[in-house]
Amino acid sequence: MKDSSVTPSLPPWLQAMADCIISPDGLSRVLPIDFQAMGKAAETYPMRITKYFLSLIREQNDPIGRQVIPSAEELSDASLSPDPLCEEDQSPVPGLIHRYPHHVLFQVENRCAVYCRHCLRKRKVGGVKPVTAEALAQGVDYIRSNQEIREVVLSGGDPLVMEDDKLLDLLGRLRAINHVRTLRVHSRIPGVLPQRITPELAKGLADFHPLYMNIQFNHPREITPESEEACRILADQGVPLGCQTVLLKGVNDHEAVLRELMEELLRIRVRPYYLHQLDRVKGAAHFHVPISRGVQLMQALRGSIPGTAIPHYVVDLPGGGGKAPLPESIVEQKENAVLVRNFEGKIFRYEEG
């Protein structure tokens, strides 16, 4: 007879989520930092760091630590918008962004394994109220009712912090919609919580092909034996992997770093997909790299690495204009701003001052 008082053990990845560092004080016990200087930033924007990702940090402001350790700099750009891409205005139902005619982004989670300090959705992630079953059903109903939609991107937060049964059930409901041709998952999990990527999860995802996954690596030190194994498990199940790297000051704004990163991604069967210009979101201005510098870096990469390793350099336009390739979409370069033409032919202003 089983002892009903025994609490079943958590899967390793869920235990790792439970063991995350979530406060400056907790971080100061394992890393020499000035936790008082980051207190207000952590109160304003929640922090979460997996112990795995913490193990990659050598010091507080190194390229790994800079991405996830709260900084007083996050409170120095009060004039910027918390929603520069006007996602809320393009959400016909809560949590679903319909910016392009045939494509929607479905925010199915508000939690992540780590909370990136450069995140576009700093205003939303880490919320105490989870995404409800009712909200997910409302999103599925909207997609089902709009026959123009061909692709659904699961985003968040991070969809892979959902447990397998809940995630696979949602994918099943979306795959059952006849006009939805492709599914895509956006996640940072392979690089920050690689133990989450199990053979069972990958086999479950493979049931919903064509299914693609875009992941995020911003520095070559994030590619470790553990993250490489996570990517291998997914790739072996036929899940095409693309990387959406964000261009970040003090992290990867150097040619040698980007070159090594892109070549390493190819080695582990991840296609460099996007090099993102930073979204001008409140709380992330200290990561800003001018577009002119980004163009220089892309020019330096061409010819020095294989063509398959060269990502598309893009900017997601403020005001909800969507993504535009750089530099070819630039209309005019001003002293403190760049004017960019979007896919509809409209001109948008990206502030750099």
Side-chain angles (χ1 to χ4, degrees), residues 92-111:
V93 297
L96 191 141
I97 302 165
H98 196 173
R99 176 173 296 142
Y100 305 99
H102 307 298
H103 164 113
V104 293
L105 187 141
F106 195 1
Q107 296 168 270
V108 300
E109 262 290 349
N110 62 6
R111 299 173 299 158

CSV table of all heavy atoms in Angstrom, one decimal, residues 92-111:
chain,number,residue,atom,x,y,z
A,92,PRO,N,-6.7,41.9,-30.3
A,92,PRO,CA,-8.2,41.8,-30.4
A,92,PRO,C,-8.8,41.1,-29.2
A,92,PRO,O,-9.9,41.3,-28.8
A,92,PRO,CB,-8.4,41.1,-31.7
A,92,PRO,CG,-7.1,40.3,-31.9
A,92,PRO,CD,-6.0,41.2,-31.3
A,93,VAL,N,-8.0,40.1,-28.6
A,93,VAL,CA,-8.4,39.5,-27.3
A,93,VAL,C,-7.2,39.5,-26.5
A,93,VAL,O,-6.0,39.6,-26.9
A,93,VAL,CB,-8.9,38.1,-27.5
A,93,VAL,CG1,-10.2,38.0,-28.4
A,93,VAL,CG2,-7.8,37.2,-28.2
A,94,PRO,N,-7.3,39.5,-25.1
A,94,PRO,CA,-6.2,39.6,-24.3
A,94,PRO,C,-5.1,38.5,-24.6
A,94,PRO,O,-5.4,37.3,-24.7
A,94,PRO,CB,-6.8,39.3,-22.9
A,94,PRO,CG,-8.2,39.8,-23.0
A,94,PRO,CD,-8.6,39.4,-24.4
A,95,GLY,N,-3.9,38.9,-24.7
A,95,GLY,CA,-2.8,38.0,-24.8
A,95,GLY,C,-2.5,37.5,-26.3
A,95,GLY,O,-1.6,36.7,-26.5
A,96,LEU,N,-3.2,38.1,-27.2
A,96,LEU,CA,-3.0,37.7,-28.6
A,96,LEU,C,-2.8,38.9,-29.5
A,96,LEU,O,-3.6,39.8,-29.5
A,96,LEU,CB,-4.2,36.9,-29.1
A,96,LEU,CG,-4.0,36.2,-30.5
A,96,LEU,CD1,-4.7,34.8,-30.5
A,96,LEU,CD2,-4.6,37.0,-31.6
A,97,ILE,N,-1.6,39.0,-30.1
A,97,ILE,CA,-1.3,40.1,-30.9
A,97,ILE,C,-1.5,39.8,-32.4
A,97,ILE,O,-0.9,38.8,-32.9
A,97,ILE,CB,0.2,40.5,-30.7
A,97,ILE,CG1,0.4,40.8,-29.2
A,97,ILE,CG2,0.6,41.7,-31.5
A,97,ILE,CD1,1.8,40.9,-28.7
A,98,HIS,N,-2.3,40.6,-33.1
A,98,HIS,CA,-2.6,40.3,-34.5
A,98,HIS,C,-2.1,41.6,-35.3
A,98,HIS,O,-2.8,42.5,-35.6
A,98,HIS,CB,-4.0,40.1,-34.7
A,98,HIS,CG,-4.4,39.5,-36.0
A,98,HIS,ND1,-5.6,39.1,-36.4
A,98,HIS,CD2,-3.6,39.2,-37.1
A,98,HIS,CE1,-5.6,38.6,-37.6
A,98,HIS,NE2,-4.4,38.7,-38.1
A,99,ARG,N,-0.8,41.5,-35.6
A,99,ARG,CA,-0.1,42.7,-36.3
A,99,ARG,C,-0.1,42.5,-37.8
A,99,ARG,O,-0.3,43.4,-38.6
A,99,ARG,CB,1.3,42.9,-35.8
A,99,ARG,CG,2.1,44.0,-36.4
A,99,ARG,CD,3.4,44.2,-35.7
A,99,ARG,NE,3.1,44.7,-34.4
A,99,ARG,CZ,3.8,44.4,-33.3
A,99,ARG,NH1,4.8,43.5,-33.4
A,99,ARG,NH2,3.6,44.9,-32.1
A,100,TYR,N,0.2,41.2,-38.2
A,100,TYR,CA,0.3,40.9,-39.6
A,100,TYR,C,-1.0,40.1,-40.0
A,100,TYR,O,-1.6,39.4,-39.2
A,100,TYR,CB,1.5,40.0,-39.9
A,100,TYR,CG,2.8,40.6,-39.5
A,100,TYR,CD1,3.4,40.2,-38.3
A,100,TYR,CD2,3.5,41.6,-40.2
A,100,TYR,CE1,4.6,40.8,-37.8
A,100,TYR,CE2,4.7,42.1,-39.8
A,100,TYR,CZ,5.2,41.7,-38.6
A,100,TYR,OH,6.4,42.3,-38.2
A,101,PRO,N,-1.5,40.3,-41.3
A,101,PRO,CA,-2.7,39.7,-41.7
A,101,PRO,C,-2.8,38.1,-41.5
A,101,PRO,O,-3.8,37.6,-41.0
A,101,PRO,CB,-2.8,40.0,-43.2
A,101,PRO,CG,-2.0,41.2,-43.4
A,101,PRO,CD,-0.9,41.1,-42.4
A,102,HIS,N,-1.7,37.4,-41.7
A,102,HIS,CA,-1.8,36.0,-41.7
A,102,HIS,C,-1.0,35.3,-40.6
A,102,HIS,O,-0.8,34.1,-40.6
A,102,HIS,CB,-1.2,35.4,-43.1
A,102,HIS,CG,-1.8,36.0,-44.3
A,102,HIS,ND1,-3.2,35.9,-44.5
A,102,HIS,CD2,-1.3,36.8,-45.3
A,102,HIS,CE1,-3.5,36.5,-45.7
A,102,HIS,NE2,-2.4,37.1,-46.1
A,103,HIS,N,-0.7,36.1,-39.6
A,103,HIS,CA,0.2,35.6,-38.5
A,103,HIS,C,-0.2,36.3,-37.2
A,103,HIS,O,-0.5,37.5,-37.1
A,103,HIS,CB,1.6,36.1,-38.9
A,103,HIS,CG,2.6,36.1,-37.8
A,103,HIS,ND1,3.7,35.2,-37.8
A,103,HIS,CD2,2.8,36.8,-36.7
A,103,HIS,CE1,4.5,35.4,-36.8
A,103,HIS,NE2,4.0,36.4,-36.1
A,104,VAL,N,-0.3,35.5,-36.1
A,104,VAL,CA,-0.6,36.0,-34.8
A,104,VAL,C,0.4,35.5,-33.8
A,104,VAL,O,1.0,34.4,-34.0
A,104,VAL,CB,-2.0,35.6,-34.3
A,104,VAL,CG1,-3.1,36.3,-35.1
A,104,VAL,CG2,-2.2,34.1,-34.2
A,105,LEU,N,0.7,36.3,-32.8
A,105,LEU,CA,1.5,35.9,-31.7
A,105,LEU,C,0.6,35.7,-30.4
A,105,LEU,O,-0.1,36.6,-30.0
A,105,LEU,CB,2.6,37.0,-31.4
A,105,LEU,CG,3.7,36.7,-30.4
A,105,LEU,CD1,5.0,37.2,-30.8
A,105,LEU,CD2,3.3,37.2,-29.0
A,106,PHE,N,0.7,34.6,-29.9
A,106,PHE,CA,-0.2,34.1,-28.8
A,106,PHE,C,0.7,34.0,-27.5
A,106,PHE,O,1.5,33.2,-27.4
A,106,PHE,CB,-0.8,32.8,-29.2
A,106,PHE,CG,-2.0,32.3,-28.4
A,106,PHE,CD1,-2.5,33.1,-27.4
A,106,PHE,CD2,-2.5,31.1,-28.7
A,106,PHE,CE1,-3.6,32.6,-26.7
A,106,PHE,CE2,-3.6,30.6,-28.0
A,106,PHE,CZ,-4.2,31.4,-27.0
A,107,GLN,N,0.4,35.0,-26.6
A,107,GLN,CA,1.1,35.0,-25.3
A,107,GLN,C,0.5,34.0,-24.3
A,107,GLN,O,-0.5,34.4,-23.7
A,107,GLN,CB,1.2,36.4,-24.8
A,107,GLN,CG,1.9,37.4,-25.6
A,107,GLN,CD,1.7,38.8,-25.2
A,107,GLN,OE1,0.7,39.5,-25.7
A,107,GLN,NE2,2.5,39.3,-24.4
A,108,VAL,N,1.0,32.8,-24.3
A,108,VAL,CA,0.3,31.7,-23.5
A,108,VAL,C,0.9,31.6,-22.1
A,108,VAL,O,0.4,30.8,-21.3
A,108,VAL,CB,0.5,30.4,-24.3
A,108,VAL,CG1,-0.2,30.5,-25.7
A,108,VAL,CG2,2.0,30.0,-24.4
A,109,GLU,N,1.9,32.4,-21.8
A,109,GLU,CA,2.5,32.3,-20.4
A,109,GLU,C,3.0,33.7,-20.0
A,109,GLU,O,3.3,34.5,-20.9
A,109,GLU,CB,3.7,31.4,-20.4
A,109,GLU,CG,3.4,30.0,-19.9
A,109,GLU,CD,3.1,30.0,-18.4
A,109,GLU,OE1,3.4,31.0,-17.7
A,109,GLU,OE2,2.7,28.9,-17.9
A,110,ASN,N,3.0,34.0,-18.7
A,110,ASN,CA,3.7,35.2,-18.3
A,110,ASN,C,4.9,35.0,-17.4
A,110,ASN,O,5.4,35.9,-16.8
A,110,ASN,CB,2.6,36.1,-17.6
A,110,ASN,CG,2.1,35.5,-16.3
A,110,ASN,OD1,2.5,34.4,-15.9
A,110,ASN,ND2,1.1,36.2,-15.7
A,111,ARG,N,5.3,33.7,-17.4
A,111,ARG,CA,6.5,33.3,-16.6
A,111,ARG,C,7.6,32.9,-17.6
A,111,ARG,O,7.4,32.5,-18.7
A,111,ARG,CB,6.2,32.1,-15.7
A,111,ARG,CG,5.1,32.3,-14.7
A,111,ARG,CD,4.8,31.0,-14.0
A,111,ARG,NE,4.3,30.0,-14.9
A,111,ARG,CZ,4.4,28.7,-14.7
A,111,ARG,NH1,4.9,28.2,-13.6
A,111,ARG,NH2,3.9,27.9,-15.6
